[in-house]
Amino acid sequence: TMAAAAGGRDDARGESDDVELMSKQVTAESKRIYLNLRQNPRGRYLKIAEVSRSGRSTVIIPESGWISFRDQLNGFISGSHQTSAGIKPAPAPVPREESSSGQQVWVENLPWTTTSEELAAYFKQCGTVEHCEINTERSGRSRGTAVVRFSDSKGADEAIAKLHDTEVEDRRIRVRLDRFG
C-alpha cells in the first residue's frame, strides 16, 4: 500500500497509521499537483503527487530532506543552477492556441464501464455524431473522459445545453466545448 511505501503500517483491519496534517493543491498547465504533509510513527513527510491526463506520479520526501529539497528548488527558480552548469535559459513558452471547431465537446466524470458506442448513442439525440472516443490509460482502463464530435456546431451546442449535468449510470457528467478540437 501507499502507507507501507511511505513508512507507515497497516493494522489488522487494513487501515494505515498515517495521518494527513495538511493538504494543498497547485495547478500548472494541465497538471494538478497535490502537496500533502503527512505523519506516521517514523515521522513527518511530504507527499507530492502530480495528476495529469497521462496518469499519476508520486514523490515522498522525509522531513530530514526538506531543507535540501527547498534549496535545490530555489536554485532552479532563481536560475543559479543554470548559469553554474552552463545551461542556457529556456525560451519563453509559446501558449497553445485554442482552435475550437465548435463541433466537438469534452465529456468528464463518465463511469469507467461506459463504451464509445454507448456514449455515441446517448449523444445522438443532439445531432449527428461523427466521432466518439473514450480516453483510456495505457492499460486500456477508461479515464472517465471522452471527446464527441458532431457534424456541425449546432449538435455540440445542443449537447452542452441538454446533456451537461445529466446522469449516466448514476454519475453526473460534465459536458463543455472542446477548446482544441
Side-chain angles (χ1 to χ4, degrees):
T1 66
M2 180 57 76
R9 295 181 207 125
D10 290 344
D11 65 15
R13 295 181 312 254
E15 295 179 15
S16 171
D17 54 2
D18 286 19
V19 177
E20 185 169 298
L21 304 174
M22 183 187 308
S23 181
K24 300 285 182 183
Q25 178 182 339
V26 176
T27 302
E29 297 177 13
S30 63
K31 300 177 184 194
R32 292 182 314 252
I33 302 168
Y34 297 91
L35 304 167
N36 298 304
L37 176 59
R38 299 183 65 90
Q39 183 172 336
N40 62 27
R42 294 178 61 193
R44 295 189 313 170
Y45 63 93
L46 183 61
K47 177 180 165 186
I48 303 171
E50 172 212 350
V51 180
S52 67
R53 290 182 179 171
S54 60
R56 177 186 191 100
S57 300
T58 303
V59 174
I60 295 183
I61 304 169
E63 186 172 21
S64 62
W66 292 357
I67 293 173
S68 177
F69 183 77
R70 181 203 60 202
D71 292 345
Q72 294 298 323
L73 186 59
N74 282 338
F76 285 119
I77 293 169
S78 70
S80 63
H81 283 76
Q82 293 176 359
T83 55
S84 65
I87 299 171
K88 295 179 183 177
V94 177
R96 185 173 169 192
E97 200 172 305
E98 292 186 17
S99 58
S100 177
S101 66
Q103 296 174 256
Q104 188 163 293
V105 294
W106 176 259
V107 186
E108 297 177 328
N109 204 35
L110 289 167
W112 308 122
T113 57
T114 302
T115 65
S116 294
E117 294 77 18
E118 292 168 335
L119 191 62
Y122 184 64
F123 276 79
K124 189 177 180 180
Q125 63 184 295
C126 299
T128 304
V129 175
E130 288 185 342
H131 178 76
C132 180
E133 183 177 349
I134 303 281
N135 297 306
T136 59
E137 296 178 359
R138 287 185 189 138
S139 65
R141 180 178 170 264
S142 169
R143 290 187 177 166
T145 61
V147 290
V148 180
R149 184 174 184 84
F150 291 90
S151 60
D152 57 31
S153 60
K154 183 179 169 193
D157 292 341
E158 189 170 335
I160 294 165
K162 191 174 182 180
L163 302 179
H164 175 72
D165 205 30
T166 59
E167 284 194 14
V168 172
E169 296 178 40
D170 297 325
R171 302 228 17 199
R172 288 214 166 277
I173 64 169
R174 294 181 293 278
V175 182
R176 66 169 171 78
L177 189 63
D178 186 350
R179 298 184 318 243
F180 304 104

PDB file of all heavy atoms in Angstrom, residues 19-52:
ATOM      1  N   VAL A  19      -1.284   9.875   9.157  1.00  0.00           N
ATOM      2  CA  VAL A  19      -2.252  10.935   9.401  1.00  0.00           C
ATOM      3  C   VAL A  19      -1.915  12.106   8.487  1.00  0.00           C
ATOM      4  O   VAL A  19      -0.760  12.510   8.404  1.00  0.00           O
ATOM      5  CB  VAL A  19      -2.186  11.403  10.876  1.00  0.00           C
ATOM      6  CG1 VAL A  19      -3.142  12.558  11.122  1.00  0.00           C
ATOM      7  CG2 VAL A  19      -2.476  10.247  11.819  1.00  0.00           C
ATOM      8  N   GLU A  20      -2.922  12.628   7.796  1.00  0.00           N
ATOM      9  CA  GLU A  20      -2.700  13.802   6.960  1.00  0.00           C
ATOM     10  C   GLU A  20      -2.820  15.044   7.831  1.00  0.00           C
ATOM     11  O   GLU A  20      -3.830  15.253   8.495  1.00  0.00           O
ATOM     12  CB  GLU A  20      -3.704  13.859   5.817  1.00  0.00           C
ATOM     13  CG  GLU A  20      -3.432  15.001   4.869  1.00  0.00           C
ATOM     14  CD  GLU A  20      -4.240  14.908   3.598  1.00  0.00           C
ATOM     15  OE1 GLU A  20      -4.065  13.915   2.861  1.00  0.00           O
ATOM     16  OE2 GLU A  20      -5.035  15.825   3.367  1.00  0.00           O
ATOM     17  N   LEU A  21      -1.782  15.880   7.844  1.00  0.00           N
ATOM     18  CA  LEU A  21      -1.759  17.085   8.659  1.00  0.00           C
ATOM     19  C   LEU A  21      -2.222  18.313   7.887  1.00  0.00           C
ATOM     20  O   LEU A  21      -2.818  19.225   8.455  1.00  0.00           O
ATOM     21  CB  LEU A  21      -0.348  17.324   9.208  1.00  0.00           C
ATOM     22  CG  LEU A  21       0.253  16.165  10.016  1.00  0.00           C
ATOM     23  CD1 LEU A  21       1.700  16.471  10.374  1.00  0.00           C
ATOM     24  CD2 LEU A  21      -0.580  15.903  11.258  1.00  0.00           C
ATOM     25  N   MET A  22      -1.909  18.347   6.583  1.00  0.00           N
ATOM     26  CA  MET A  22      -2.268  19.497   5.758  1.00  0.00           C
ATOM     27  C   MET A  22      -2.206  19.078   4.299  1.00  0.00           C
ATOM     28  O   MET A  22      -1.427  18.206   3.934  1.00  0.00           O
ATOM     29  CB  MET A  22      -1.289  20.650   5.997  1.00  0.00           C
ATOM     30  CG  MET A  22      -1.623  21.920   5.239  1.00  0.00           C
ATOM     31  SD  MET A  22      -0.344  23.216   5.385  1.00  0.00           S
ATOM     32  CE  MET A  22      -0.128  23.340   7.141  1.00  0.00           C
ATOM     33  N   SER A  23      -3.030  19.724   3.473  1.00  0.00           N
ATOM     34  CA  SER A  23      -3.027  19.408   2.050  1.00  0.00           C
ATOM     35  C   SER A  23      -3.232  20.694   1.254  1.00  0.00           C
ATOM     36  O   SER A  23      -4.053  21.532   1.612  1.00  0.00           O
ATOM     37  CB  SER A  23      -4.154  18.419   1.746  1.00  0.00           C
ATOM     38  OG  SER A  23      -4.153  18.085   0.388  1.00  0.00           O
ATOM     39  N   LYS A  24      -2.477  20.849   0.170  1.00  0.00           N
ATOM     40  CA  LYS A  24      -2.590  21.998  -0.738  1.00  0.00           C
ATOM     41  C   LYS A  24      -2.580  21.481  -2.165  1.00  0.00           C
ATOM     42  O   LYS A  24      -2.012  20.420  -2.442  1.00  0.00           O
ATOM     43  CB  LYS A  24      -1.429  22.983  -0.564  1.00  0.00           C
ATOM     44  CG  LYS A  24      -1.299  23.578   0.813  1.00  0.00           C
ATOM     45  CD  LYS A  24      -2.339  24.612   1.058  1.00  0.00           C
ATOM     46  CE  LYS A  24      -2.141  25.225   2.434  1.00  0.00           C
ATOM     47  NZ  LYS A  24      -3.150  26.182   2.742  1.00  0.00           N
ATOM     48  N   GLN A  25      -3.193  22.243  -3.075  1.00  0.00           N
ATOM     49  CA  GLN A  25      -3.204  21.866  -4.493  1.00  0.00           C
ATOM     50  C   GLN A  25      -2.656  23.017  -5.323  1.00  0.00           C
ATOM     51  O   GLN A  25      -2.967  24.178  -5.073  1.00  0.00           O
ATOM     52  CB  GLN A  25      -4.618  21.544  -4.958  1.00  0.00           C
ATOM     53  CG  GLN A  25      -4.677  21.194  -6.433  1.00  0.00           C
ATOM     54  CD  GLN A  25      -6.094  20.918  -6.925  1.00  0.00           C
ATOM     55  OE1 GLN A  25      -6.974  20.618  -6.165  1.00  0.00           O
ATOM     56  NE2 GLN A  25      -6.284  21.041  -8.216  1.00  0.00           N
ATOM     57  N   VAL A  26      -1.848  22.683  -6.328  1.00  0.00           N
ATOM     58  CA  VAL A  26      -1.295  23.647  -7.276  1.00  0.00           C
ATOM     59  C   VAL A  26      -1.668  23.157  -8.670  1.00  0.00           C
ATOM     60  O   VAL A  26      -1.557  21.968  -8.957  1.00  0.00           O
ATOM     61  CB  VAL A  26       0.249  23.733  -7.151  1.00  0.00           C
ATOM     62  CG1 VAL A  26       0.827  24.657  -8.198  1.00  0.00           C
ATOM     63  CG2 VAL A  26       0.655  24.147  -5.757  1.00  0.00           C
ATOM     64  N   THR A  27      -2.123  24.067  -9.523  1.00  0.00           N
ATOM     65  CA  THR A  27      -2.422  23.701 -10.900  1.00  0.00           C
ATOM     66  C   THR A  27      -1.425  24.406 -11.807  1.00  0.00           C
ATOM     67  O   THR A  27      -1.239  25.613 -11.710  1.00  0.00           O
ATOM     68  CB  THR A  27      -3.862  24.109 -11.279  1.00  0.00           C
ATOM     69  OG1 THR A  27      -4.764  23.477 -10.364  1.00  0.00           O
ATOM     70  CG2 THR A  27      -4.200  23.683 -12.688  1.00  0.00           C
ATOM     71  N   ALA A  28      -0.767  23.633 -12.663  1.00  0.00           N
ATOM     72  CA  ALA A  28       0.204  24.175 -13.618  1.00  0.00           C
ATOM     73  C   ALA A  28      -0.069  23.535 -14.966  1.00  0.00           C
ATOM     74  O   ALA A  28       0.034  22.323 -15.112  1.00  0.00           O
ATOM     75  CB  ALA A  28       1.629  23.882 -13.167  1.00  0.00           C
ATOM     76  N   GLU A  29      -0.443  24.361 -15.946  1.00  0.00           N
ATOM     77  CA  GLU A  29      -0.835  23.888 -17.271  1.00  0.00           C
ATOM     78  C   GLU A  29      -1.958  22.879 -17.108  1.00  0.00           C
ATOM     79  O   GLU A  29      -2.953  23.185 -16.500  1.00  0.00           O
ATOM     80  CB  GLU A  29       0.380  23.354 -18.031  1.00  0.00           C
ATOM     81  CG  GLU A  29       1.407  24.442 -18.276  1.00  0.00           C
ATOM     82  CD  GLU A  29       2.656  23.946 -18.967  1.00  0.00           C
ATOM     83  OE1 GLU A  29       2.661  22.827 -19.483  1.00  0.00           O
ATOM     84  OE2 GLU A  29       3.625  24.709 -19.001  1.00  0.00           O
ATOM     85  N   SER A  30      -1.837  21.666 -17.614  1.00  0.00           N
ATOM     86  CA  SER A  30      -2.928  20.697 -17.480  1.00  0.00           C
ATOM     87  C   SER A  30      -2.666  19.722 -16.339  1.00  0.00           C
ATOM     88  O   SER A  30      -3.296  18.680 -16.247  1.00  0.00           O
ATOM     89  CB  SER A  30      -3.099  19.921 -18.784  1.00  0.00           C
ATOM     90  OG  SER A  30      -1.923  19.172 -19.037  1.00  0.00           O
ATOM     91  N   LYS A  31      -1.767  20.068 -15.430  1.00  0.00           N
ATOM     92  CA  LYS A  31      -1.404  19.162 -14.333  1.00  0.00           C
ATOM     93  C   LYS A  31      -1.913  19.696 -13.002  1.00  0.00           C
ATOM     94  O   LYS A  31      -1.911  20.894 -12.757  1.00  0.00           O
ATOM     95  CB  LYS A  31       0.111  19.001 -14.262  1.00  0.00           C
ATOM     96  CG  LYS A  31       0.694  18.427 -15.522  1.00  0.00           C
ATOM     97  CD  LYS A  31       2.178  18.348 -15.451  1.00  0.00           C
ATOM     98  CE  LYS A  31       2.704  17.860 -16.783  1.00  0.00           C
ATOM     99  NZ  LYS A  31       4.057  17.449 -16.724  1.00  0.00           N
ATOM    100  N   ARG A  32      -2.346  18.773 -12.173  1.00  0.00           N
ATOM    101  CA  ARG A  32      -2.715  19.103 -10.801  1.00  0.00           C
ATOM    102  C   ARG A  32      -1.653  18.492  -9.903  1.00  0.00           C
ATOM    103  O   ARG A  32      -1.341  17.318 -10.018  1.00  0.00           O
ATOM    104  CB  ARG A  32      -4.089  18.539 -10.465  1.00  0.00           C
ATOM    105  CG  ARG A  32      -5.203  19.197 -11.225  1.00  0.00           C
ATOM    106  CD  ARG A  32      -6.552  18.628 -10.826  1.00  0.00           C
ATOM    107  NE  ARG A  32      -6.518  17.165 -10.774  1.00  0.00           N
ATOM    108  CZ  ARG A  32      -7.098  16.373 -11.648  1.00  0.00           C
ATOM    109  NH1 ARG A  32      -7.759  16.857 -12.646  1.00  0.00           N
ATOM    110  NH2 ARG A  32      -7.010  15.058 -11.533  1.00  0.00           N
ATOM    111  N   ILE A  33      -1.102  19.304  -9.010  1.00  0.00           N
ATOM    112  CA  ILE A  33      -0.057  18.842  -8.110  1.00  0.00           C
ATOM    113  C   ILE A  33      -0.577  18.983  -6.685  1.00  0.00           C
ATOM    114  O   ILE A  33      -1.008  20.068  -6.282  1.00  0.00           O
ATOM    115  CB  ILE A  33       1.248  19.641  -8.307  1.00  0.00           C
ATOM    116  CG1 ILE A  33       1.711  19.498  -9.760  1.00  0.00           C
ATOM    117  CG2 ILE A  33       2.320  19.192  -7.322  1.00  0.00           C
ATOM    118  CD1 ILE A  33       2.798  20.438 -10.173  1.00  0.00           C
ATOM    119  N   TYR A  34      -0.557  17.887  -5.952  1.00  0.00           N
ATOM    120  CA  TYR A  34      -1.038  17.872  -4.575  1.00  0.00           C
ATOM    121  C   TYR A  34       0.147  17.772  -3.637  1.00  0.00           C
ATOM    122  O   TYR A  34       1.027  16.922  -3.812  1.00  0.00           O
ATOM    123  CB  TYR A  34      -1.977  16.680  -4.349  1.00  0.00           C
ATOM    124  CG  TYR A  34      -3.218  16.751  -5.197  1.00  0.00           C
ATOM    125  CD1 TYR A  34      -3.259  16.159  -6.454  1.00  0.00           C
ATOM    126  CD2 TYR A  34      -4.345  17.434  -4.747  1.00  0.00           C
ATOM    127  CE1 TYR A  34      -4.393  16.233  -7.240  1.00  0.00           C
ATOM    128  CE2 TYR A  34      -5.482  17.511  -5.530  1.00  0.00           C
ATOM    129  CZ  TYR A  34      -5.504  16.905  -6.778  1.00  0.00           C
ATOM    130  OH  TYR A  34      -6.623  16.993  -7.556  1.00  0.00           O
ATOM    131  N   LEU A  35       0.174  18.647  -2.643  1.00  0.00           N
ATOM    132  CA  LEU A  35       1.204  18.636  -1.613  1.00  0.00           C
ATOM    133  C   LEU A  35       0.523  18.214  -0.321  1.00  0.00           C
ATOM    134  O   LEU A  35      -0.356  18.924   0.191  1.00  0.00           O
ATOM    135  CB  LEU A  35       1.828  20.022  -1.456  1.00  0.00           C
ATOM    136  CG  LEU A  35       2.419  20.624  -2.733  1.00  0.00           C
ATOM    137  CD1 LEU A  35       2.721  22.102  -2.537  1.00  0.00           C
ATOM    138  CD2 LEU A  35       3.658  19.870  -3.141  1.00  0.00           C
ATOM    139  N   ASN A  36       0.899  17.067   0.206  1.00  0.00           N
ATOM    140  CA  ASN A  36       0.273  16.535   1.411  1.00  0.00           C
ATOM    141  C   ASN A  36       1.320  16.369   2.498  1.00  0.00           C
ATOM    142  O   ASN A  36       2.278  15.608   2.332  1.00  0.00           O
ATOM    143  CB  ASN A  36      -0.382  15.171   1.130  1.00  0.00           C
ATOM    144  CG  ASN A  36      -1.487  15.291   0.113  1.00  0.00           C
ATOM    145  OD1 ASN A  36      -2.407  16.053   0.291  1.00  0.00           O
ATOM    146  ND2 ASN A  36      -1.369  14.546  -0.970  1.00  0.00           N
ATOM    147  N   LEU A  37       1.149  17.089   3.601  1.00  0.00           N
ATOM    148  CA  LEU A  37       2.002  16.924   4.764  1.00  0.00           C
ATOM    149  C   LEU A  37       1.376  15.811   5.599  1.00  0.00           C
ATOM    150  O   LEU A  37       0.215  15.905   6.000  1.00  0.00           O
ATOM    151  CB  LEU A  37       2.078  18.221   5.577  1.00  0.00           C
ATOM    152  CG  LEU A  37       2.873  18.152   6.880  1.00  0.00           C
ATOM    153  CD1 LEU A  37       4.314  17.730   6.618  1.00  0.00           C
ATOM    154  CD2 LEU A  37       2.811  19.484   7.603  1.00  0.00           C
ATOM    155  N   ARG A  38       2.134  14.746   5.802  1.00  0.00           N
ATOM    156  CA  ARG A  38       1.614  13.567   6.496  1.00  0.00           C
ATOM    157  C   ARG A  38       2.565  13.176   7.622  1.00  0.00           C
ATOM    158  O   ARG A  38       3.722  13.591   7.648  1.00  0.00           O
ATOM    159  CB  ARG A  38       1.434  12.417   5.517  1.00  0.00           C
ATOM    160  CG  ARG A  38       0.441  12.768   4.398  1.00  0.00           C
ATOM    161  CD  ARG A  38       0.195  11.635   3.461  1.00  0.00           C
ATOM    162  NE  ARG A  38      -0.462  10.518   4.092  1.00  0.00           N
ATOM    163  CZ  ARG A  38      -1.786  10.349   4.159  1.00  0.00           C
ATOM    164  NH1 ARG A  38      -2.585  11.242   3.643  1.00  0.00           N
ATOM    165  NH2 ARG A  38      -2.293   9.278   4.730  1.00  0.00           N
ATOM    166  N   GLN A  39       2.053  12.351   8.532  1.00  0.00           N
ATOM    167  CA  GLN A  39       2.861  11.876   9.647  1.00  0.00           C
ATOM    168  C   GLN A  39       2.509  10.425   9.930  1.00  0.00           C
ATOM    169  O   GLN A  39       1.349  10.027   9.814  1.00  0.00           O
ATOM    170  CB  GLN A  39       2.599  12.726  10.884  1.00  0.00           C
ATOM    171  CG  GLN A  39       3.448  12.337  12.076  1.00  0.00           C
ATOM    172  CD  GLN A  39       3.296  13.330  13.214  1.00  0.00           C
ATOM    173  OE1 GLN A  39       2.941  14.473  13.004  1.00  0.00           O
ATOM    174  NE2 GLN A  39       3.564  12.879  14.414  1.00  0.00           N
ATOM    175  N   ASN A  40       3.543   9.646  10.295  1.00  0.00           N
ATOM    176  CA  ASN A  40       3.352   8.274  10.741  1.00  0.00           C
ATOM    177  C   ASN A  40       4.313   8.049  11.900  1.00  0.00           C
ATOM    178  O   ASN A  40       5.022   8.982  12.290  1.00  0.00           O
ATOM    179  CB  ASN A  40       3.548   7.284   9.576  1.00  0.00           C
ATOM    180  CG  ASN A  40       4.942   7.310   8.997  1.00  0.00           C
ATOM    181  OD1 ASN A  40       5.906   7.638   9.670  1.00  0.00           O
ATOM    182  ND2 ASN A  40       5.058   6.960   7.721  1.00  0.00           N
ATOM    183  N   PRO A  41       4.356   6.869  12.480  1.00  0.00           N
ATOM    184  CA  PRO A  41       5.242   6.654  13.638  1.00  0.00           C
ATOM    185  C   PRO A  41       6.719   6.937  13.356  1.00  0.00           C
ATOM    186  O   PRO A  41       7.483   7.214  14.273  1.00  0.00           O
ATOM    187  CB  PRO A  41       5.027   5.177  13.985  1.00  0.00           C
ATOM    188  CG  PRO A  41       3.634   4.898  13.522  1.00  0.00           C
ATOM    189  CD  PRO A  41       3.477   5.714  12.258  1.00  0.00           C
ATOM    190  N   ARG A  42       7.134   6.899  12.101  1.00  0.00           N
ATOM    191  CA  ARG A  42       8.534   7.170  11.765  1.00  0.00           C
ATOM    192  C   ARG A  42       8.822   8.659  11.629  1.00  0.00           C
ATOM    193  O   ARG A  42       9.961   9.066  11.495  1.00  0.00           O
ATOM    194  CB  ARG A  42       8.897   6.451  10.475  1.00  0.00           C
ATOM    195  CG  ARG A  42       8.847   4.932  10.666  1.00  0.00           C
ATOM    196  CD  ARG A  42       9.145   4.184   9.415  1.00  0.00           C
ATOM    197  NE  ARG A  42      10.491   4.497   8.932  1.00  0.00           N
ATOM    198  CZ  ARG A  42      10.930   4.176   7.742  1.00  0.00           C
ATOM    199  NH1 ARG A  42      10.151   3.549   6.886  1.00  0.00           N
ATOM    200  NH2 ARG A  42      12.154   4.481   7.374  1.00  0.00           N
ATOM    201  N   GLY A  43       7.782   9.521  11.586  1.00  0.00           N
ATOM    202  CA  GLY A  43       7.981  10.961  11.492  1.00  0.00           C
ATOM    203  C   GLY A  43       7.119  11.595  10.421  1.00  0.00           C
ATOM    204  O   GLY A  43       6.242  10.957   9.832  1.00  0.00           O
ATOM    205  N   ARG A  44       7.391  12.877  10.172  1.00  0.00           N
ATOM    206  CA  ARG A  44       6.624  13.611   9.164  1.00  0.00           C
ATOM    207  C   ARG A  44       7.287  13.472   7.796  1.00  0.00           C
ATOM    208  O   ARG A  44       8.496  13.306   7.704  1.00  0.00           O
ATOM    209  CB  ARG A  44       6.522  15.095   9.539  1.00  0.00           C
ATOM    210  CG  ARG A  44       5.737  15.317  10.812  1.00  0.00           C
ATOM    211  CD  ARG A  44       5.438  16.759  11.107  1.00  0.00           C
ATOM    212  NE  ARG A  44       6.588  17.630  10.954  1.00  0.00           N
ATOM    213  CZ  ARG A  44       6.526  18.951  10.972  1.00  0.00           C
ATOM    214  NH1 ARG A  44       5.383  19.562  11.146  1.00  0.00           N
ATOM    215  NH2 ARG A  44       7.609  19.673  10.823  1.00  0.00           N
ATOM    216  N   TYR A  45       6.453  13.585   6.763  1.00  0.00           N
ATOM    217  CA  TYR A  45       6.965  13.540   5.398  1.00  0.00           C
ATOM    218  C   TYR A  45       6.042  14.325   4.490  1.00  0.00           C
ATOM    219  O   TYR A  45       4.874  14.566   4.807  1.00  0.00           O
ATOM    220  CB  TYR A  45       7.151  12.097   4.899  1.00  0.00           C
ATOM    221  CG  TYR A  45       5.882  11.284   4.815  1.00  0.00           C
ATOM    222  CD1 TYR A  45       5.153  11.205   3.628  1.00  0.00           C
ATOM    223  CD2 TYR A  45       5.410  10.590   5.915  1.00  0.00           C
ATOM    224  CE1 TYR A  45       3.998  10.458   3.550  1.00  0.00           C
ATOM    225  CE2 TYR A  45       4.257   9.831   5.842  1.00  0.00           C
ATOM    226  CZ  TYR A  45       3.554   9.767   4.659  1.00  0.00           C
ATOM    227  OH  TYR A  45       2.413   9.030   4.575  1.00  0.00           O
ATOM    228  N   LEU A  46       6.584  14.747   3.364  1.00  0.00           N
ATOM    229  CA  LEU A  46       5.827  15.472   2.356  1.00  0.00           C
ATOM    230  C   LEU A  46       5.585  14.526   1.193  1.00  0.00           C
ATOM    231  O   LEU A  46       6.530  13.949   0.641  1.00  0.00           O
ATOM    232  CB  LEU A  46       6.617  16.696   1.882  1.00  0.00           C
ATOM    233  CG  LEU A  46       5.936  17.608   0.869  1.00  0.00           C
ATOM    234  CD1 LEU A  46       4.654  18.203   1.440  1.00  0.00           C
ATOM    235  CD2 LEU A  46       6.889  18.722   0.463  1.00  0.00           C
ATOM    236  N   LYS A  47       4.324  14.354   0.844  1.00  0.00           N
ATOM    237  CA  LYS A  47       3.954  13.513  -0.297  1.00  0.00           C
ATOM    238  C   LYS A  47       3.518  14.459  -1.409  1.00  0.00           C
ATOM    239  O   LYS A  47       2.586  15.234  -1.253  1.00  0.00           O
ATOM    240  CB  LYS A  47       2.810  12.579   0.098  1.00  0.00           C
ATOM    241  CG  LYS A  47       2.300  11.723  -1.032  1.00  0.00           C
ATOM    242  CD  LYS A  47       1.172  10.829  -0.514  1.00  0.00           C
ATOM    243  CE  LYS A  47       0.395  10.230  -1.632  1.00  0.00           C
ATOM    244  NZ  LYS A  47      -0.775   9.487  -1.141  1.00  0.00           N
ATOM    245  N   ILE A  48       4.212  14.417  -2.534  1.00  0.00           N
ATOM    246  CA  ILE A  48       3.910  15.272  -3.675  1.00  0.00           C
ATOM    247  C   ILE A  48       3.386  14.370  -4.782  1.00  0.00           C
ATOM    248  O   ILE A  48       4.089  13.461  -5.226  1.00  0.00           O
ATOM    249  CB  ILE A  48       5.152  16.043  -4.163  1.00  0.00           C
ATOM    250  CG1 ILE A  48       5.749  16.873  -3.017  1.00  0.00           C
ATOM    251  CG2 ILE A  48       4.799  16.926  -5.361  1.00  0.00           C
ATOM    252  CD1 ILE A  48       7.085  17.498  -3.338  1.00  0.00           C
ATOM    253  N   ALA A  49       2.148  14.608  -5.204  1.00  0.00           N
ATOM    254  CA  ALA A  49       1.541  13.786  -6.253  1.00  0.00           C
ATOM    255  C   ALA A  49       1.141  14.677  -7.416  1.00  0.00           C
ATOM    256  O   ALA A  49       0.486  15.698  -7.231  1.00  0.00           O
ATOM    257  CB  ALA A  49       0.323  13.046  -5.711  1.00  0.00           C
ATOM    258  N   GLU A  50       1.565  14.291  -8.618  1.00  0.00           N
ATOM    259  CA  GLU A  50       1.190  15.007  -9.834  1.00  0.00           C
ATOM    260  C   GLU A  50       0.134  14.175 -10.549  1.00  0.00           C
ATOM    261  O   GLU A  50       0.306  12.991 -10.772  1.00  0.00           O
ATOM    262  CB  GLU A  50       2.396  15.181 -10.747  1.00  0.00           C
ATOM    263  CG  GLU A  50       2.016  15.752 -12.097  1.00  0.00           C
ATOM    264  CD  GLU A  50       2.897  15.250 -13.231  1.00  0.00           C
ATOM    265  OE1 GLU A  50       3.917  14.616 -12.974  1.00  0.00           O
ATOM    266  OE2 GLU A  50       2.524  15.510 -14.388  1.00  0.00           O
ATOM    267  N   VAL A  51      -0.968  14.821 -10.886  1.00  0.00           N
ATOM    268  CA  VAL A  51      -2.030  14.138 -11.613  1.00  0.00           C
ATOM    269  C   VAL A  51      -2.230  14.890 -12.922  1.00  0.00           C
ATOM    270  O   VAL A  51      -2.477  16.086 -12.937  1.00  0.00           O
ATOM    271  CB  VAL A  51      -3.350  14.131 -10.813  1.00  0.00           C
ATOM    272  CG1 VAL A  51      -4.441  13.420 -11.584  1.00  0.00           C
ATOM    273  CG2 VAL A  51      -3.136  13.479  -9.457  1.00  0.00           C
ATOM    274  N   SER A  52      -2.065  14.185 -14.037  1.00  0.00           N
ATOM    275  CA  SER A  52      -2.249  14.798 -15.350  1.00  0.00           C
ATOM    276  C   SER A  52      -3.072  13.853 -16.208  1.00  0.00           C
ATOM    277  O   SER A  52      -3.462  12.779 -15.778  1.00  0.00           O
ATOM    278  CB  SER A  52      -0.890  15.070 -16.006  1.00  0.00           C
ATOM    279  OG  SER A  52      -0.250  13.849 -16.320  1.00  0.00           O
TER     280      SER A  52
END
